[in-house]
Amino acid sequence: MSSERRWDVLVVGGGASGTLLAVQLLRHASGPLRVALLERSGNIGPGLAYSTPSASHLLNVPVAKMSAFADDPEHFLRWMRRVAPDTAPCDFVQRRRYGQYLESVLRTARRHAAPQVSFMPLKGEAVSLSRADGGGYQVELLDGSRLEAQRVVLAVGNAQPADLPVEDLGLFASPRYVRSPWAPGALDGIAPHDPVLLIGTGLTMVDTVLSLAERHHEGRIHAVSRHGLLPHVHRHGPAAPPPTFPAPRHVRSLLGTLRREAARAPEDWRGVVDALRPVTASLWGDLAPSERRRFLCHLRTFWDVHRHRMAPSVNETVRQLRSAGVLRPQAARVRGFRMVDEQWVEARLSPRGLGREESLRVRHVINCTGPDASLGRGHPLLRALLDSGLGRLDSLGLGLATDGEGALLDARGRVAEGLFTLGPLRRGELWESTAVPEIRAQATALSSRLLRAFASQPGLSPSRLSLPLS
Ligand SMILES: Cc1cc2nc3c(=O)[nH]c(=O)nc-3n(C[C@H](O)[C@H](O)[C@H](O)COP(=O)(O)OP(=O)(O)OC[C@H]3O[C@@H](n4cnc5c(N)ncnc54)[C@H](O)[C@@H]3O)c2cc1C
């Protein structure tokens, strides 16, 4: 294999996680190091979350909390002020700006990297991974080509939404169904007066409603989820001191403590939820798998709407659309779909508490259930990783099993040498692992681990690795 296809570190996935890891490697590597970042879209930086072209899609976290660097919390604020001088730390800015910010952070890191450190952005989709004969890993791409690397980091992030496990009678294969509202042009076939049904009432539904509103949509927008709960709104207020939890072993006692703390919070429950952030991973780690499962079954929806909140201006748009009767959220279970003809879809719903089914006719159904939580489904690389035994699911099947620093555990529970992950794939182990504050901390820790490993193997100093020719 030619040296252009061999790397010391290959990062697979060029969203926020892969980009921030590459940035840390470029900033801190002093010796020879060859890093490649493989992204299937060819667009490194924004990933799924920050590549939206819509001006109405905002960050759901204020500017002050979105710096790429934990040790320089105002970095994003300073960058934003170069673009929009009036930006305040508490502003919720356009998500696409954050994608541009990540691109700019990577450009700067490349410019200032040590002379012996090289970085190569690559376009392609990794579909399988296996051990290479001379050590390290071989990664196969969709086009049949191969790359080799001593260490591989899977930063493949958020999965596309999954179809509901219900009878669809032709809907899922029809153009009346939008499988992912994030796909470019996903809403193009929807006329302004078409009634539509959105499956899900969380932040992905909110994004989709904003996109429809941007297109001056006037038809009715139905939105259903089992509880019919929408995300709460952010409110500026003082952060509460971190609650002191007596290491609860049960979800029920955790909930009890949270309720007590929130009742005591002088200003707002939001401070209590936010104060939990730094201790979430350790609280999660203390829970037995059965308790974590209980949380997912019974409390996840409630947690999500309190924790993942809407920007105030987004909340205002949603409020107006609801009071105008355009947006109609409903608590109902979807039982199935039927194509009435080429124009109309019928959804069978069981509204919560009604005890009978109702049907609803719409022109389009849009899947707004958010990233698929079942790992590996529809992702050839992850499927191949699990099938080969090089990686295994965490105990909840939300992501990959890892050690405390993101090294994968193989099928037998041993640390897989040279194979790592960060970001959403660590959700099952840490629970809080999908947002920028956690991802930037993981990127810093993982880059130190990778660089330490190269430094401690002088014979294997990065650019002198000898991989077999193929
Ligand atoms: C719509 C949305 C909005 C969000 N808003 C916020 C926010 O405001 N603030 C916040 O802190 N967090 C937010 N998040 C959370 C978000 O998960 C993280 O902030 C972050 O963007 C995750 O980045 P990632 O790189 O891990 O994942 P992704 O953004 O999903 O990026 C993964 C990348 O890997 C690529 N990829 C996948 N598989 C392969 C393969 N086999 N080969 C090559 N490339 C591959 C994909 O093309 C993609 O570009 C949001 C998430 C979503 C979905």
Side-chain angles (χ1 to χ4, degrees):
M1 178 170 285
S2 76
S3 63
E4 292 88 69
R5 316 289 293 170
R6 296 195 322 243
W7 307 94
D8 300 323
V9 180
L10 172 66
V11 183
V12 181
S17 300
T19 304
L20 291 178
L21 175 65
V23 165
Q24 291 296 341
L25 289 168
L26 292 173
R27 284 177 110 202
H28 297 292
S30 50
L33 184 72
R34 286 163 50 83
V35 180
L37 204 169
L38 177 73
E39 166 57 45
R40 64 181 167 202
S41 70
N43 188 15
I44 291 178
L48 177 66
Y50 312 114
S51 54
T52 169
S54 168
S56 54
H57 291 169
L58 305 184
L59 292 178
N60 51 42
V61 178
V63 170
K65 294 189 178 165
M66 288 292 285
S67 169
F69 308 107
D71 58 1
D72 183 2
E74 296 203 335
H75 193 266
F76 180 46
L77 177 63
R78 291 198 302 275
W79 186 90
M80 268 309 300
R81 283 183 171 160
R82 292 216 308 261
V83 183
D86 293 338
T87 307
C90 57
D91 284 352
F92 294 84
V93 301
Q94 292 174 4
R95 282 219 299 274
R96 60 187 183 186
R97 287 276 185 230
Y98 199 74
Q100 293 160 1
Y101 168 66
L102 289 170
E103 286 166 358
S104 126
V105 166
L106 179 60
R107 265 196 310 275
T108 308
R110 288 181 73 176
R111 238 189 351 261
H112 295 285
Q116 291 161 297
V117 178
S118 77
F119 175 82
M120 179 64 74
L122 301 170
K123 181 175 179 181
E125 176 171 349
V127 290
S128 78
L129 177 130
S130 53
R131 283 196 190 282
D133 292 340
Y137 293 90
Q138 181 164 277
V139 173
E140 193 179 334
L141 310 195
L142 190 59
D143 66 6
S145 61
R146 295 201 167 107
L147 302 169
E148 276 187 17
Q150 275 302 306
R151 289 175 171 79
V152 175
V153 181
L154 304 178
V156 297
N158 295 293
Q160 293 294 323
D163 296 339
L164 287 192
V166 298
E167 191 176 48
D168 72 294
L169 296 179
L171 171 71
F172 293 164
S174 99
R176 296 275 147 198
Y177 178 58
V178 177
R179 179 158 282 114
S180 166
W182 300 314
L187 308 183
D188 285 354
I190 300 177
H193 287 96
D194 284 350
V196 296
L197 171 61
L198 313 188
I199 310 295
T201 58
L203 288 172
T204 306
M205 179 281 286
V206 172
D207 266 4
T208 309
V209 168
L210 295 172
S211 298
L212 289 169
E214 238 177 24
R215 294 158 169 262
H216 310 291
H217 191 84
E218 290 173 0
R220 187 144 295 162
I221 305 173
H222 301 273
V224 297
S225 67
R226 270 177 296 166
H227 296 278
L229 296 173
L230 269 65
H232 284 279
V233 61
H234 277 284
R235 194 171 288 155
H236 305 305
T244 42
F245 284 97
R249 297 265 173 254
H250 302 284
V251 163
R252 189 181 293 182
S253 58
L254 191 56
L255 181 64
T257 311
L258 255 183
R259 283 199 167 124
R260 265 196 314 280
E261 294 284 337
R264 269 210 300 265
E267 297 294 333
D268 198 3
W269 53 263
R270 290 163 181 81
V272 176
V273 173
D274 294 350
L276 264 184
R277 192 90 173 258
V279 291
T280 303
S282 68
L283 288 171
W284 185 252
D286 285 342
L287 294 175
S290 57
E291 286 296 307
R292 294 182 195 178
R293 262 190 288 279
R294 187 163 292 151
F295 172 86
L296 292 181
C297 283
H298 303 296
L299 290 177
R300 183 186 189 155
T301 306
F302 301 97
W303 172 257
D304 282 349
V305 296
H306 287 84
R307 161 73 185 82
H308 302 287
R309 305 192 289 271
M310 282 185 274
S313 63
V314 169
N315 182 58
E316 182 50 24
T317 308
V318 169
R319 195 195 61 74
Q320 285 172 11
L321 289 168
R322 286 181 80 169
S323 58
V326 174
L327 174 61
R328 299 212 163 171
Q330 189 187 358
R333 223 174 241 278
V334 178
R335 296 295 178 191
F337 299 103
R338 180 175 75 90
M339 294 302 296
V340 179
D341 54 31
E342 286 190 356
Q343 305 287 317
W344 291 94
V345 185
E346 188 174 82
R348 279 188 295 115
L349 306 175
S350 291
R352 199 176 174 85
L354 205 61
R356 61 177 162 75
E357 283 189 8
E358 282 184 347
S359 65
L360 179 68
R361 284 194 178 195
V362 290
R363 291 277 190 145
H364 307 268
V365 175
I366 309 176
N367 185 342
C368 297
T369 52
D372 183 8
S374 299
L375 192 87
R377 199 159 43 185
H379 199 290
L381 176 64
L382 295 179
R383 199 60 272 149
L385 179 89
L386 298 173
D387 290 348
S388 68
L390 284 172
R392 71 170 191 187
L393 294 176
D394 61 61
S395 59
L396 298 169
L398 295 178
L400 294 172
T402 61
D403 73 2
E405 285 178 310
L408 297 200
L409 302 187
D410 67 15
R412 293 163 67 182
R414 297 168 309 195
V415 171
E417 189 64 32
L419 211 45
F420 303 87
T421 189
L422 78 166
L425 285 181
R426 294 190 68 195
R427 187 172 27 213
E429 299 281 359
L430 304 171
W431 187 241
E432 280 287 4
S433 188
T434 60
V436 165
E438 283 73 27
I439 291 172
R440 70 187 177 199
Q442 290 176 27
T444 307
L446 183 50
S447 111
S448 310
R449 175 164 174 169
L450 289 165
L451 294 174
R452 256 195 336 267
F454 282 122
S456 67
Q457 290 173 281
L460 262 187
S461 106
S463 67
R464 278 172 266 123
L465 294 171
S466 67
L467 294 171
L469 298 175
S470 66

